[in-house]
Amino acid sequence: MTIFLNPDLAASKSSRKKRQQAEVAPDTPATERALATLRRSLNKQVKKADNEERLRAKAIADTMPEFIAAMDDEVLTPFFFSLERLATAANRRRIASHPLRPEAVDEMHEGEDAKEERIAEEERKAAEAAERDAKTAKATPQDASAS
């Protein structure tokens, strides 16, 4: 039998795999400059997008008082209701103090809050029933031979 490899010179399997894989390219000054240029470009794009978003939000905020003043009563109530439903609790209270806000919005919130409470209670009862059923199923052993 012919021995092709000297066992003393043979490399381990992991080192052979490392040799087969491409080595990580070393960071050269040119690579570092290219990455720095890329980072600067990406930062400029992010700043530009942030600035555009900030200006858009400012434009909407500046126009909102005239927009609300131009609405008729038929549109004001659902507008304020929707706006307050989406707002945080603190902002909801602030919005509620707006002078053009109709009083009917309070009634709409009461009805919606009651509806949400009913739904939450039904979901809680359904979860409790499912948990009870699961416990009952575990407590009563199923005899496979009786089936």
Side-chain angles (χ1 to χ4, degrees):
M1 175 184 253
T2 308
I3 298 178
F4 291 103
L5 287 176
N6 182 348
D8 296 334
L9 299 176
S12 68
K13 186 175 183 179
S14 62
S15 64
R16 286 193 311 268
K17 282 186 177 182
K18 282 183 185 177
R19 267 195 314 245
Q20 291 174 350
Q21 294 173 351
E23 291 288 325
V24 176
D27 285 341
T28 63
T31 305
E32 290 175 13
R33 284 192 307 274
L35 289 174
T37 302
L38 178 63
R39 277 190 220 103
R40 280 193 304 275
S41 175
L42 291 174
N43 285 336
K44 284 180 185 178
Q45 289 176 354
V46 167
K47 286 179 184 177
K48 183 178 178 183
D50 287 347
N51 190 39
E52 288 175 357
E53 178 61 29
R54 184 182 54 78
L55 291 174
R56 186 180 308 114
K58 184 181 181 313
I60 291 172
D62 291 347
T63 308
M64 193 56 66
E66 291 84 17
F67 177 69
I68 292 171
M71 288 182 187
D72 61 353
D73 291 336
E74 190 176 296
V75 177
L76 270 176
T77 303
F79 171 76
F80 274 103
F81 173 74
S82 299
L83 191 62
E84 290 175 16
R85 291 312 275 183
L86 295 173
T88 62
N91 285 341
R92 184 176 175 179
R93 287 190 299 275
R94 290 182 188 110
I95 295 167
S97 68
H98 193 281
L100 294 178
R101 179 182 178 268
E103 292 296 321
V105 175
D106 291 329
E107 296 168 7
M108 292 173 73
H109 281 302
E110 290 171 4
E112 190 66 24
D113 290 342
K115 179 182 173 184
E116 287 177 0
E117 286 177 25
R118 237 184 355 263
I119 291 171
E121 180 67 21
E122 289 171 2
E123 289 174 352
R124 186 186 60 77
K125 286 181 180 178
E128 287 176 356
E131 185 178 322
R132 239 187 347 267
D133 291 344
K135 285 182 181 178
T136 304
K138 283 183 181 179
T140 54
Q142 301 283 336
D143 188 13
S145 61
S147 298

